[in-house]
Amino acid sequence: MLGLQSIGGESANMEVNRVFDAIVIGAGAAGLFCAAHAGQRGLRVLLLDHNERIAEKIRISGGGRANFTNRDLDLRAPQRHFVGDNPHFCRSALSRYTPQHFIGLVEKHGIAYHEKHKGQLFCDGPSQQIIDMLLAECAAGNVAHWQPCKVGEVQFEAGEGYRLQTSRGEVRAPRLVVATGGLSIPQIGASDFGYRVAAQFGLRVVAPRPALVPLTFAGEGWAPYADLAGLALPVQIETGAKKERMSFHEDLLFTHRGLSGPAVLQISSYWKPGSPLTLDFAPGVQVDAELRDAKARSKKRIANELAQWVPARLADAWVGQDAALARPINEAADKALAQLAERIGRWQITPSGTEGYKKAEVTAGGIDTRELSSQTMESKQPGLYFIGEVVDVTGWLGGYNFQWAWASAHACAEALAAQQ
Ligand SMILES: Cc1cc2nc3c(=O)[nH]c(=O)nc-3n(C[C@H](O)[C@H](O)[C@H](O)COP(=O)(O)OP(=O)(O)OC[C@H]3O[C@@H](n4cnc5c(N)ncnc54)[C@H](O)[C@@H]3O)c2cc1C
């Protein structure tokens, strides 16, 4: 692993240099990538992070194996995999820096990887390899790195640029890049710094909310399902009506407080508080017709028949809620079977909330994209850029959030270099 000192250390820079071409705040995925690229394009870059350890989210991502991109990203319509008030905003950056570009970098550094599910690429080894790769790229760009370093007041003067008061003294640069991420997982360094800087300069922020997050259910309606914690099964899940309707076919996991698993994490980014979810527990199966058919030929209990298409625990939970269903299938009323099929194929339930930022993989909302250039990521405040998760662009589960971090960082670094 590369020592942090090796990327142009503080000691080398502190005495002689407090003026940079660009300062990047936040040494996560987007900040490291932007600093490295801008440094390699000849800019004197300072990268600051308030945390003891940088890039913690890369380290814990993908179960410790970093799902670093997704090769199924549709290059003709990359916005398809992203949520935000203006989903088209991300198009420009994502089509200029593609998953193939990042895969090329990973291969150049000799990092072995594999595809897991629906285009998701993971490291074969620990995700630290991606962090080391980014640090090596920063070293190649002579990026100065101060960390931990707290940033206090941010001032701007026309003609001079940005002046930052930090725990290591004052620094200046004509350009400032905010890459401080969202609010998820506060225990590893998340802060609202980016939103505060935006507010200071009069830039709008779309209200942040937890996304890619488990959903919770409260009250008596949930009681019959509380015992199903640990049960996982593939489902079709949907929310929203008409144009806003969104649907995923993924695995669902019952938890003690509600629902999780990829199906629920994906739909959580689209779910609006108070609105219901609709789940099909036997996607592709015509449960109504199957139950009618079984009634004509079988004397087995209904729960046993149902267990052909859904896990037995789930079948028991459903049948157990209605005494009329606790009997052999040939004795069941057609109406009761039709109602059961409806509940298996179109179960409607309204979450009471989410597990919040402690469990959310990302933060939806953020810097309003109407305040930013989709080409450069520069805001309406001259010389002030926002990249990565702090922006109102949220990817699907599966490597799309890192791809946004790389692509938005690349667009920004290119713009910084072009202005030199
Ligand atoms: C458990 C988990 C697993 C995930 N797995 C994946 C995955 O496999 N694939 C995927 O694509 N995405 C994944 N994500 C999402 C992904 O990690 C983020 O979208 C991505 O890291 C965002 O990059 P970023 O650089 O914008 O922000 P971050 O990576 O969060 O970096 C922000 C940096 O800014 C620093 N910072 C914050 N506030 C300040 C401040 N006031 N002053 C100075 N520095 C500050 C932080 O310390 C941090 O280093 C996962 C997220 C979590 C929580």
Side-chain angles (χ1 to χ4, degrees):
M1 181 185 147
L2 269 165
L4 291 183
Q5 296 81 347
S6 64
I7 37 177
E10 176 186 359
S11 51
N13 288 291
M14 264 192 89
E15 293 140 31
V16 290
N17 192 10
R18 294 197 159 271
V19 182
F20 296 84
D21 296 323
I23 299 172
V24 180
I25 307 180
L32 281 163
F33 197 62
C34 179
H37 195 66
Q40 290 176 25
R41 296 292 303 266
L43 275 77
R44 291 168 302 149
V45 181
L46 172 63
L47 178 61
L48 301 176
D49 201 294
H50 67 167
N51 216 8
E52 285 284 336
R53 301 178 62 163
I54 55 158
E56 278 292 87
K57 284 202 185 149
I58 300 181
R59 194 178 56 76
I60 62 171
S61 67
R65 295 274 187 264
N67 176 195
F68 56 81
T69 191
N70 192 304
R71 67 159 123 234
D72 284 355
L73 182 85
D74 181 351
L75 290 180
R76 285 159 308 168
Q79 72 280 2
R80 207 161 64 78
H81 304 279
F82 293 84
V83 192
D85 270 13
N86 173 12
H88 289 272
F89 175 84
C90 59
R91 232 187 136 120
S92 169
L94 287 164
S95 54
R96 282 180 291 145
Y97 190 84
T98 67
Q100 206 48 52
H101 287 111
F102 196 76
I103 294 167
L105 187 65
V106 165
E107 288 176 352
K108 189 180 111 187
H109 283 261
I111 298 173
Y113 63 91
H114 60 278
E115 182 172 337
K116 216 171 179 180
H117 170 65
K118 296 189 176 177
Q120 302 167 5
L121 300 188
F122 288 76
C123 297
D124 288 356
S127 47
Q128 183 66 41
Q129 292 176 303
I130 298 290
I131 302 175
D132 291 346
M133 176 188 88
L134 295 170
L135 290 174
E137 290 289 316
C138 282
N142 281 322
V143 173
H145 189 286
W146 297 3
Q147 171 237 339
C149 177
K150 298 211 183 316
V151 181
E153 208 181 340
V154 176
Q155 294 163 309
F156 172 76
E157 267 179 53
E160 271 234 353
Y162 294 86
R163 189 186 291 267
L164 271 56
Q165 306 305 325
T166 80
S167 55
R168 302 192 184 196
E170 183 180 292
V171 284
R172 282 185 286 135
R175 291 175 197 90
L176 181 62
V177 181
V178 178
T180 47
L183 299 172
S184 313
I185 325 283
Q187 57 274 35
I188 55 170
S191 84
D192 64 354
F193 181 87
Y195 313 137
R196 282 191 278 118
V197 172
Q200 179 185 341
F201 291 101
L203 305 170
R204 286 165 291 187
V205 173
V206 175
R209 63 180 198 282
L212 298 183
V213 63
L215 297 172
T216 54
F217 297 82
E220 288 196 358
W222 183 249
Y225 315 106
D227 288 345
L228 294 175
L231 177 69
L233 74 162
V235 299
Q236 187 80 33
I237 191 167
E238 68 178 61
T239 194
K242 296 186 178 158
K243 274 189 179 169
E244 294 198 333
R245 182 182 166 278
M246 197 63 205
S247 161
F248 292 94
H249 188 170
E250 288 281 4
D251 281 354
L252 172 92
L253 174 71
F254 282 85
T255 69
H256 288 288
R257 287 162 46 88
L259 297 174
S260 186
V264 169
L265 300 186
Q266 295 282 40
I267 211 78
S268 71
S269 300
Y270 294 87
W271 175 71
K272 296 210 167 72
S275 57
L277 302 176
T278 306
L279 288 104
D280 180 351
F281 288 106
V285 178
Q286 297 297 319
V287 179
D288 194 17
E290 295 286 0
L291 287 176
R292 270 188 278 119
D293 182 53
K295 179 178 170 172
R297 60 167 166 72
S298 165
K299 291 182 181 167
K300 280 192 200 160
R301 300 186 75 75
I302 295 174
N304 292 349
E305 286 294 343
L306 203 54
Q308 293 177 62
W309 309 293
V310 298
R313 279 173 74 193
L314 188 68
D316 287 342
W318 250 262
V319 170
Q321 290 174 62
D322 187 347
L325 297 173
R327 60 180 63 189
I329 194 160
N330 61 324
E331 294 173 13
D334 288 349
K335 194 172 165 200
L337 288 184
Q339 282 170 350
L340 176 63
E342 174 74 9
R343 270 186 282 150
I344 295 291
R346 288 197 62 77
W347 186 48
Q348 283 220 336
I349 189 156
T350 303
S352 52
T354 78
E355 289 281 7
Y357 290 118
K358 270 191 184 165
K359 294 272 175 72
E361 282 205 8
V362 289
T363 302
I367 312 305
D368 193 322
T369 53
R370 287 172 297 178
E371 306 286 10
L372 306 177
S373 155
S374 62
Q375 302 287 313
T376 65
M377 309 305 292
E378 186 174 11
S379 69
K380 288 181 181 159
Q381 161 67 26
L384 179 62
Y385 299 72
F386 293 87
I387 58 173
E389 196 179 312
V390 75
V391 177
D392 176 29
V393 172
T394 304
W396 283 9
L397 192 73
Y400 295 103
N401 283 297
F402 279 143
Q403 188 57 36
W404 169 245
W406 318 135
S408 58
H410 180 266
C412 174
E414 285 287 300
L416 294 175
Q419 286 169 7
Q420 276 302 104

PDB file of all heavy atoms in Angstrom, residues 93-112:
ATOM      1  N   ALA A  93     -21.342  13.907 -18.869  1.00  0.00           N
ATOM      2  CA  ALA A  93     -20.142  13.382 -18.196  1.00  0.00           C
ATOM      3  C   ALA A  93     -20.042  11.868 -18.366  1.00  0.00           C
ATOM      4  O   ALA A  93     -18.960  11.330 -18.648  1.00  0.00           O
ATOM      5  CB  ALA A  93     -20.181  13.747 -16.710  1.00  0.00           C
ATOM      6  N   LEU A  94     -21.181  11.171 -18.229  1.00  0.00           N
ATOM      7  CA  LEU A  94     -21.143   9.700 -18.294  1.00  0.00           C
ATOM      8  C   LEU A  94     -20.830   9.197 -19.696  1.00  0.00           C
ATOM      9  O   LEU A  94     -20.249   8.121 -19.845  1.00  0.00           O
ATOM     10  CB  LEU A  94     -22.489   9.120 -17.830  1.00  0.00           C
ATOM     11  CG  LEU A  94     -22.758   9.211 -16.329  1.00  0.00           C
ATOM     12  CD1 LEU A  94     -24.235   8.973 -16.040  1.00  0.00           C
ATOM     13  CD2 LEU A  94     -21.910   8.205 -15.559  1.00  0.00           C
ATOM     14  N   SER A  95     -21.201   9.978 -20.707  1.00  0.00           N
ATOM     15  CA  SER A  95     -20.892   9.487 -22.048  1.00  0.00           C
ATOM     16  C   SER A  95     -19.461   9.855 -22.464  1.00  0.00           C
ATOM     17  O   SER A  95     -18.916   9.251 -23.367  1.00  0.00           O
ATOM     18  CB  SER A  95     -21.920   9.974 -23.075  1.00  0.00           C
ATOM     19  OG  SER A  95     -22.020  11.360 -22.995  1.00  0.00           O
ATOM     20  N   ARG A  96     -18.842  10.799 -21.742  1.00  0.00           N
ATOM     21  CA  ARG A  96     -17.449  11.135 -22.076  1.00  0.00           C
ATOM     22  C   ARG A  96     -16.446  10.291 -21.288  1.00  0.00           C
ATOM     23  O   ARG A  96     -15.330  10.052 -21.742  1.00  0.00           O
ATOM     24  CB  ARG A  96     -17.194  12.631 -21.839  1.00  0.00           C
ATOM     25  CG  ARG A  96     -17.755  13.492 -22.977  1.00  0.00           C
ATOM     26  CD  ARG A  96     -17.508  14.951 -22.734  1.00  0.00           C
ATOM     27  NE  ARG A  96     -18.302  15.446 -21.626  1.00  0.00           N
ATOM     28  CZ  ARG A  96     -17.887  16.380 -20.767  1.00  0.00           C
ATOM     29  NH1 ARG A  96     -16.696  16.929 -20.896  1.00  0.00           N
ATOM     30  NH2 ARG A  96     -18.675  16.779 -19.793  1.00  0.00           N
ATOM     31  N   TYR A  97     -16.818   9.882 -20.073  1.00  0.00           N
ATOM     32  CA  TYR A  97     -15.930   8.982 -19.318  1.00  0.00           C
ATOM     33  C   TYR A  97     -16.758   7.743 -18.974  1.00  0.00           C
ATOM     34  O   TYR A  97     -17.624   7.771 -18.099  1.00  0.00           O
ATOM     35  CB  TYR A  97     -15.382   9.641 -18.048  1.00  0.00           C
ATOM     36  CG  TYR A  97     -14.286   8.803 -17.429  1.00  0.00           C
ATOM     37  CD1 TYR A  97     -12.967   8.906 -17.885  1.00  0.00           C
ATOM     38  CD2 TYR A  97     -14.565   7.866 -16.451  1.00  0.00           C
ATOM     39  CE1 TYR A  97     -11.964   8.100 -17.362  1.00  0.00           C
ATOM     40  CE2 TYR A  97     -13.580   7.056 -15.925  1.00  0.00           C
ATOM     41  CZ  TYR A  97     -12.285   7.190 -16.380  1.00  0.00           C
ATOM     42  OH  TYR A  97     -11.286   6.382 -15.871  1.00  0.00           O
ATOM     43  N   THR A  98     -16.487   6.656 -19.696  1.00  0.00           N
ATOM     44  CA  THR A  98     -17.370   5.491 -19.659  1.00  0.00           C
ATOM     45  C   THR A  98     -16.804   4.394 -18.741  1.00  0.00           C
ATOM     46  O   THR A  98     -15.630   4.454 -18.347  1.00  0.00           O
ATOM     47  CB  THR A  98     -17.500   4.904 -21.084  1.00  0.00           C
ATOM     48  OG1 THR A  98     -16.210   4.377 -21.453  1.00  0.00           O
ATOM     49  CG2 THR A  98     -17.921   5.959 -22.097  1.00  0.00           C
ATOM     50  N   PRO A  99     -17.632   3.389 -18.428  1.00  0.00           N
ATOM     51  CA  PRO A  99     -17.110   2.256 -17.654  1.00  0.00           C
ATOM     52  C   PRO A  99     -15.848   1.665 -18.292  1.00  0.00           C
ATOM     53  O   PRO A  99     -14.906   1.290 -17.599  1.00  0.00           O
ATOM     54  CB  PRO A  99     -18.270   1.253 -17.683  1.00  0.00           C
ATOM     55  CG  PRO A  99     -19.487   2.119 -17.771  1.00  0.00           C
ATOM     56  CD  PRO A  99     -19.094   3.264 -18.643  1.00  0.00           C
ATOM     57  N   GLN A 100     -15.801   1.628 -19.646  1.00  0.00           N
ATOM     58  CA  GLN A 100     -14.638   1.049 -20.319  1.00  0.00           C
ATOM     59  C   GLN A 100     -13.367   1.829 -20.002  1.00  0.00           C
ATOM     60  O   GLN A 100     -12.291   1.249 -19.850  1.00  0.00           O
ATOM     61  CB  GLN A 100     -14.900   1.008 -21.841  1.00  0.00           C
ATOM     62  CG  GLN A 100     -14.137  -0.073 -22.562  1.00  0.00           C
ATOM     63  CD  GLN A 100     -14.225  -1.449 -21.877  1.00  0.00           C
ATOM     64  OE1 GLN A 100     -15.313  -1.936 -21.571  1.00  0.00           O
ATOM     65  NE2 GLN A 100     -13.067  -2.048 -21.591  1.00  0.00           N
ATOM     66  N   HIS A 101     -13.474   3.149 -19.879  1.00  0.00           N
ATOM     67  CA  HIS A 101     -12.294   3.949 -19.508  1.00  0.00           C
ATOM     68  C   HIS A 101     -11.790   3.531 -18.124  1.00  0.00           C
ATOM     69  O   HIS A 101     -10.597   3.360 -17.911  1.00  0.00           O
ATOM     70  CB  HIS A 101     -12.641   5.447 -19.472  1.00  0.00           C
ATOM     71  CG  HIS A 101     -12.822   6.043 -20.833  1.00  0.00           C
ATOM     72  ND1 HIS A 101     -14.029   6.470 -21.301  1.00  0.00           N
ATOM     73  CD2 HIS A 101     -11.931   6.280 -21.823  1.00  0.00           C
ATOM     74  CE1 HIS A 101     -13.888   6.957 -22.528  1.00  0.00           C
ATOM     75  NE2 HIS A 101     -12.629   6.848 -22.870  1.00  0.00           N
ATOM     76  N   PHE A 102     -12.722   3.385 -17.183  1.00  0.00           N
ATOM     77  CA  PHE A 102     -12.284   3.045 -15.816  1.00  0.00           C
ATOM     78  C   PHE A 102     -11.752   1.617 -15.768  1.00  0.00           C
ATOM     79  O   PHE A 102     -10.764   1.331 -15.078  1.00  0.00           O
ATOM     80  CB  PHE A 102     -13.427   3.241 -14.802  1.00  0.00           C
ATOM     81  CG  PHE A 102     -12.913   3.289 -13.386  1.00  0.00           C
ATOM     82  CD1 PHE A 102     -12.268   4.423 -12.901  1.00  0.00           C
ATOM     83  CD2 PHE A 102     -13.019   2.187 -12.555  1.00  0.00           C
ATOM     84  CE1 PHE A 102     -11.752   4.468 -11.601  1.00  0.00           C
ATOM     85  CE2 PHE A 102     -12.513   2.216 -11.253  1.00  0.00           C
ATOM     86  CZ  PHE A 102     -11.883   3.357 -10.779  1.00  0.00           C
ATOM     87  N   ILE A 103     -12.384   0.727 -16.527  1.00  0.00           N
ATOM     88  CA  ILE A 103     -11.889  -0.667 -16.582  1.00  0.00           C
ATOM     89  C   ILE A 103     -10.452  -0.662 -17.112  1.00  0.00           C
ATOM     90  O   ILE A 103      -9.578  -1.380 -16.604  1.00  0.00           O
ATOM     91  CB  ILE A 103     -12.815  -1.538 -17.477  1.00  0.00           C
ATOM     92  CG1 ILE A 103     -14.197  -1.675 -16.826  1.00  0.00           C
ATOM     93  CG2 ILE A 103     -12.190  -2.903 -17.727  1.00  0.00           C
ATOM     94  CD1 ILE A 103     -15.279  -2.234 -17.749  1.00  0.00           C
ATOM     95  N   GLY A 104     -10.193   0.190 -18.117  1.00  0.00           N
ATOM     96  CA  GLY A 104      -8.835   0.298 -18.672  1.00  0.00           C
ATOM     97  C   GLY A 104      -7.839   0.699 -17.595  1.00  0.00           C
ATOM     98  O   GLY A 104      -6.715   0.164 -17.530  1.00  0.00           O
ATOM     99  N   LEU A 105      -8.231   1.634 -16.737  1.00  0.00           N
ATOM    100  CA  LEU A 105      -7.345   2.095 -15.655  1.00  0.00           C
ATOM    101  C   LEU A 105      -7.094   0.960 -14.651  1.00  0.00           C
ATOM    102  O   LEU A 105      -5.965   0.715 -14.224  1.00  0.00           O
ATOM    103  CB  LEU A 105      -7.988   3.295 -14.952  1.00  0.00           C
ATOM    104  CG  LEU A 105      -7.140   4.002 -13.906  1.00  0.00           C
ATOM    105  CD1 LEU A 105      -5.913   4.654 -14.538  1.00  0.00           C
ATOM    106  CD2 LEU A 105      -7.974   5.070 -13.175  1.00  0.00           C
ATOM    107  N   VAL A 106      -8.168   0.273 -14.297  1.00  0.00           N
ATOM    108  CA  VAL A 106      -8.066  -0.857 -13.349  1.00  0.00           C
ATOM    109  C   VAL A 106      -7.115  -1.920 -13.922  1.00  0.00           C
ATOM    110  O   VAL A 106      -6.251  -2.455 -13.213  1.00  0.00           O
ATOM    111  CB  VAL A 106      -9.486  -1.424 -13.087  1.00  0.00           C
ATOM    112  CG1 VAL A 106      -9.439  -2.785 -12.427  1.00  0.00           C
ATOM    113  CG2 VAL A 106     -10.288  -0.451 -12.230  1.00  0.00           C
ATOM    114  N   GLU A 107      -7.251  -2.184 -15.209  1.00  0.00           N
ATOM    115  CA  GLU A 107      -6.387  -3.200 -15.842  1.00  0.00           C
ATOM    116  C   GLU A 107      -4.940  -2.719 -15.904  1.00  0.00           C
ATOM    117  O   GLU A 107      -4.004  -3.483 -15.681  1.00  0.00           O
ATOM    118  CB  GLU A 107      -6.918  -3.539 -17.240  1.00  0.00           C
ATOM    119  CG  GLU A 107      -8.209  -4.359 -17.152  1.00  0.00           C
ATOM    120  CD  GLU A 107      -8.845  -4.647 -18.497  1.00  0.00           C
ATOM    121  OE1 GLU A 107      -8.395  -4.089 -19.534  1.00  0.00           O
ATOM    122  OE2 GLU A 107      -9.831  -5.427 -18.516  1.00  0.00           O
ATOM    123  N   LYS A 108      -4.752  -1.410 -16.172  1.00  0.00           N
ATOM    124  CA  LYS A 108      -3.383  -0.854 -16.215  1.00  0.00           C
ATOM    125  C   LYS A 108      -2.673  -1.066 -14.870  1.00  0.00           C
ATOM    126  O   LYS A 108      -1.468  -1.290 -14.812  1.00  0.00           O
ATOM    127  CB  LYS A 108      -3.466   0.648 -16.540  1.00  0.00           C
ATOM    128  CG  LYS A 108      -2.126   1.296 -16.832  1.00  0.00           C
ATOM    129  CD  LYS A 108      -2.303   2.767 -17.134  1.00  0.00           C
ATOM    130  CE  LYS A 108      -1.714   3.594 -16.007  1.00  0.00           C
ATOM    131  NZ  LYS A 108      -1.955   5.009 -16.092  1.00  0.00           N
ATOM    132  N   HIS A 109      -3.460  -1.019 -13.797  1.00  0.00           N
ATOM    133  CA  HIS A 109      -2.872  -1.202 -12.457  1.00  0.00           C
ATOM    134  C   HIS A 109      -2.846  -2.668 -12.036  1.00  0.00           C
ATOM    135  O   HIS A 109      -2.532  -2.976 -10.886  1.00  0.00           O
ATOM    136  CB  HIS A 109      -3.638  -0.358 -11.429  1.00  0.00           C
ATOM    137  CG  HIS A 109      -3.281   1.095 -11.503  1.00  0.00           C
ATOM    138  ND1 HIS A 109      -2.391   1.693 -10.649  1.00  0.00           N
ATOM    139  CD2 HIS A 109      -3.665   2.061 -12.370  1.00  0.00           C
ATOM    140  CE1 HIS A 109      -2.263   2.980 -10.963  1.00  0.00           C
ATOM    141  NE2 HIS A 109      -3.037   3.232 -12.002  1.00  0.00           N
ATOM    142  N   GLY A 110      -3.200  -3.549 -12.947  1.00  0.00           N
ATOM    143  CA  GLY A 110      -3.103  -4.990 -12.676  1.00  0.00           C
ATOM    144  C   GLY A 110      -4.079  -5.485 -11.627  1.00  0.00           C
ATOM    145  O   GLY A 110      -3.804  -6.486 -10.948  1.00  0.00           O
ATOM    146  N   ILE A 111      -5.213  -4.804 -11.483  1.00  0.00           N
ATOM    147  CA  ILE A 111      -6.201  -5.227 -10.476  1.00  0.00           C
ATOM    148  C   ILE A 111      -7.148  -6.254 -11.110  1.00  0.00           C
ATOM    149  O   ILE A 111      -7.799  -5.965 -12.119  1.00  0.00           O
ATOM    150  CB  ILE A 111      -7.009  -4.013  -9.947  1.00  0.00           C
ATOM    151  CG1 ILE A 111      -6.050  -3.021  -9.268  1.00  0.00           C
ATOM    152  CG2 ILE A 111      -8.109  -4.454  -8.990  1.00  0.00           C
ATOM    153  CD1 ILE A 111      -6.701  -1.714  -8.861  1.00  0.00           C
ATOM    154  N   ALA A 112      -7.203  -7.429 -10.518  1.00  0.00           N
ATOM    155  CA  ALA A 112      -8.087  -8.483 -11.060  1.00  0.00           C
ATOM    156  C   ALA A 112      -9.521  -8.209 -10.627  1.00  0.00           C
ATOM    157  O   ALA A 112      -9.762  -7.740  -9.510  1.00  0.00           O
ATOM    158  CB  ALA A 112      -7.637  -9.839 -10.539  1.00  0.00           C
TER     159      ALA A 112
END
